[in-house]
Amino acid sequence: MLLIFDCDGVLVDSEPLSCRIDAEILTECGVPYTAEDVARDFTGVSIKDQIARIESERGTRLPADFTERLNRTLFQRFETELKPIPGVREAILALPFRRCVASSSIPERIALSLRVTGLADLFDTIFSSTQVARGKPAPDLFLHAARQMNARPEDCLVVEDSMAGVQAAIAAGMRVIGFAGGGHCGPDHAENLRRAGAPIVINRMADLPGTVQELA
């Protein structure tokens, strides 16, 4: 079995920080958003798809340097403020299966996130939505990861915190565990993941090893 981990909100508790910064930069660009708006609309979505949706829905064009400004600010704050999801290292080390990361973030952000949280040594392989035509909720990223890891979709188990990610895993023909223990997860998050199609949702990383073993 191949375990495929999302990064933001599953391995690292980045969503509250990144949503806040995203909203700040968007508002500075004249497109007002709150952190709650960003969390609701764009959790698990690639920056490319986020920009396209904002420009379509708001009838505007974001500055050409929007992505650069956003990433520069995020990277600076991640260096000092980013933390791992509690218990995630211990949970991963308790699982004897092959593993990789497949995230909507750009490769540089994934690598930085894993480094500053002390998780980089757990993953030899990371995959980014920049490597495929369509981001989540399309299945492209997860299917790409499976191909590169020489695994059949039916032999993959995805751990995801976003509705888009859950939908992508199911569209790829993979099993999925929803995770609702990140700092951005409100009281309805677990139910939203179930509604997106996750048959099992956990709230603590301590529950991951037992859940995975039951599905193996």
Side-chain angles (χ1 to χ4, degrees), residues 4-7 11 99-103 110 114 123 125-127:
I4 303 178
F5 290 87
D6 179 43
C7 185
L11 299 176
R99 55 184 178 261
C100 66
V101 177
S103 167
I110 302 168
L114 297 177
F123 296 97
T125 311
I126 62 174
F127 300 101

Side-chain angles (χ1 to χ4, degrees), residues 187-203:
D188 298 328
H189 198 82
E191 183 54 36
N192 289 338
L193 295 179
R194 292 188 185 95
R195 191 161 57 246
I200 299 173
V201 179
I202 60 173
N203 296 305

Side-chain angles (χ1 to χ4, degrees), residues 103-175:
S103 167
S104 293
S105 294
I106 62 174
E108 295 83 357
R109 173 172 165 173
I110 302 168
L112 171 66
S113 297
L114 297 177
R115 175 177 62 79
V116 300
T117 56
L119 302 176
D121 63 303
L122 299 180
F123 296 97
D124 293 327
T125 311
I126 62 174
F127 300 101
S128 163
S129 62
T130 60
Q131 298 171 303
V132 295
R134 301 176 300 168
K136 304 170 187 178
D140 302 30
L141 177 58
F142 290 139
L143 291 173
H144 173 70
R147 283 193 300 269
Q148 294 299 310
M149 298 293 288
N150 295 312
R152 300 180 304 171
E154 58 266 33
D155 293 330
C156 297
L157 178 59
V158 177
V159 185
E160 262 288 355
D161 72 302
S162 72
M163 294 177 68
V166 169
Q167 292 165 346
I170 292 171
M174 299 177 181
R175 292 172 295 168

